[in-house]
Amino acid sequence: MTILLTGGAGFIGSHTYVALTQAGHEAVIVDNFYNSSQEVISRLQTITGKAVPYYDVDVCDHHALDQVFQKHSFDAVIHFAGYKAVGESVGMPIEYYRNNLDSTLTLCEVMRERGVNRIVFSSSATVYGMTDDMPLKETMSSGGCTNPYGWTKYMIEQILRDVADANPSWAVALLRYFNPIGAHESGLIGEDPVGLPNNLMPFITQVASGKLKELNIFGNDYPTPDGTGIRDYIHVVDLAQGHLDACAYLMAHTGCEVFNLGTGVGYSVLDMVHTFERVNNVTVPFHIAPRRPGDIARCFADPSKAEKLLGWKAHKSLEDMCIDAWRWQSLNPNGYATV
Ligand code: UFG
């Protein structure tokens, strides 16, 4: 397969590039490097041993994107590109709606014009909103998102569902990610947040390395066994494989399907801290802080649909996630900026 990866230099996109290339497929990256580094490209080259086809193009730029489609014959597109910071989206709703929706609509227009009709979309468990009903199943209702970022995922899902309904030859897979963490085992690519990390694992790794003083655990009074929030953490390499399996599925099916990509197992914030300390032999000082607005007590997937229809399942353990995240942090104390 020849696959276009929009946002292919990002955290999940770069791991998916490796998975596709190592499985013998051709992957082409389009990224404007707004929230990613050019250094990713040379790291990908080192991992795969091949030149990386990439274009420094904004997906909102119809003309530039069209030129990429003219140069390649894509079987499918995986659409990762988009703004992704939950907190930032609350203060910048116009930018989030403009960028995330515009890029998707522009991509769909170019796909239609160039006769490419398979798309995998990077969605999120956040579209399930503030529910207590666990595990989350694809048949449950979505909506009630707590921030503009989440609403853009919800709206793009709806756009793509409508496109598939209107065009019976289209094939759409909406992948709802749970909490992707970890890094490629080479330690060459990983998550490189800009500024202070919002998410738990990059915060833990930066505390363990001494870059940050201590972790704030957002609440220990949730109705969970140890009082801290429970999430379904998934290794980014397992997640990347889910995209390959989704592309293969779309080669044989039309219409629109939603898939949860999670492990089905939830761990608490304290489980994360203690496992990280144990497997990496480091300490992660923390203190208990107030709850973070918008957080729910528990969030974990029922991933059985992906296993049944895609033949996909997460294999890596929480220990693997912690070891690989720490290797990435240790080898790249300043992320991609070290080079
Ligand atoms: N947490 C802390 N301290 C921190 C950061 C996080 O205690 O410094 C806790 C949170 O309260 C939560 C857990 O760690 O209980 C995980 O928080 P993350 O920020 O890592 O992840 P979220 O589950 O809040 O959000 C993630 C993605 C979103 C996505 C959402 C889907 O970051 O993009 O999952 O449910 F929308």
Side-chain angles (χ1 to χ4, degrees), residues 86 124-126 149 179 198-200 203 215-218 229 231 233 269 292 295 299:
V86 172
S124 167
T126 200
Y149 157 79
N179 290 61
N198 298 306
N199 297 117
L200 180 63
F203 212 106
L215 170 71
N216 299 313
I217 294 187
F218 297 139
R231 295 290 182 276
Y233 296 93
V269 179
R292 184 172 63 178
D295 275 355
C299 177

Side-chain angles (χ1 to χ4, degrees), residues 40 43 57 84 97 107 116 135 158 170 180 185 217 235 265 269 274 279 285 325 337-338:
V40 172
R43 302 286 180 97
V57 159
K84 61 173 185 180
Y97 287 113
L107 175 63
V116 178
Q158 188 59 44
W170 276 57
E185 61 176 15
I217 294 187
H235 197 297
V265 181
V269 179
H274 294 140
V279 298
T338 34

